[in-house]
Amino acid sequence: MVKRFVILLCFFSFVIPIKAAKNHAELQINENLLKSTKKKSFKKHNKTIVFLWREEKYNKKYKTTFSEICINQSYCKTITDPERAVIGYIATFIGSDCNWDDECNADRSNLKCKVLTALNLGYQCSDSHLGFLKKWFKGDYKALKRLEDCSTTPYTATIQNTFDKIQIIHKNNDFFVIVNASSINSREEISRNWKEINHFVLLNKNQVKFLSKKTIYSKKSKL
């Protein structure tokens, strides 16, 4: 009986280390696979792009010069979907020469804005526009809540804001959208400029999150 116990003890003493070694090997393989997957999912990026700026251009119809929004069309040809998402999110709340496409619809559903058009997102507050952003910001409840406040404001409105410059920095999984903008209140004849730095992060290949915004305002001035 004792001999039998000793044999069994020796057997388990031999098997357990083998199982432990096997489990450790499998764990190591899984960890290596996870690392490999992470490397494939998140490519290294380090680029800075000026997406939007303003230029003074002569208008033959009105025979005067206007400050006009210009878009980096070369960048738009290679822009990635997460970059479209973070710029599109910012553009939802600041105007970019927005105007009605023909006559204004009864439900105000045909407001065409330069940034959204360049990003191929359709009209302001449309299903194409908001549907794309909601898909990319899924799980970011603060961002989704703010998208509910999408408004349709043409450039002719008495109170409006607009872009002066948009710069995007894409570094690995982080996006920084740096905005120079201005607001105009024609009724009170005042204007104001501001700069904001918006920080987003790529969570996975199909999802981004809005992390923070820092805003620097100038003093209000008379028009």
Side-chain angles (χ1 to χ4, degrees), residues 100 104-111 123-125 151-154 157:
W100 305 112
C104 174
N105 292 342
D107 58 358
R108 298 173 68 89
S109 62
N110 63 325
L111 187 67
Y123 295 132
Q124 172 79 354
C125 304
S151 62
T152 50
T153 307

Side-chain angles (χ1 to χ4, degrees), residues 82 85-91 93 133 136-147 173-179 196-203 207-215:
V86 298
I87 295 175
Y89 179 83
I90 298 300
F93 309 105
L133 295 182
W136 274 93
F137 285 92
K138 60 185 176 184
D140 186 345
Y141 302 109
K142 288 185 178 180
L144 293 175
K145 184 67 177 176
R146 194 176 179 211
L147 287 172
N173 304 327
D174 292 294
F175 300 93
F176 297 90
V177 182
I178 303 170
V179 172
E196 59 184 50
I197 302 171
N198 301 276
H199 184 193
F200 301 84
V201 65
L202 181 67
L203 296 179
Q207 190 177 0
V208 293
K209 184 176 182 179
F210 182 41
L211 293 184
S212 65
K213 178 174 75 171
K214 180 180 180 181
T215 307

Side-chain angles (χ1 to χ4, degrees), residues 4 10 12 21 35-36 48-49 52 60 68 92-93 107 114-115 126 128 142 163 165 182-183 185 198-199 217:
R4 193 175 183 183
C10 291
F12 284 115
K35 289 178 182 178
S36 176
T48 300
I49 301 289
L52 176 151
K60 292 181 179 179
E68 188 175 314
T92 302
F93 309 105
D107 58 358
K114 274 193 174 181
V115 169
S126 65
S128 174
K142 288 185 178 180
F163 291 111
K165 185 178 180 180
S182 55
S183 62
N185 187 327
N198 301 276
H199 184 193
Y217 290 101

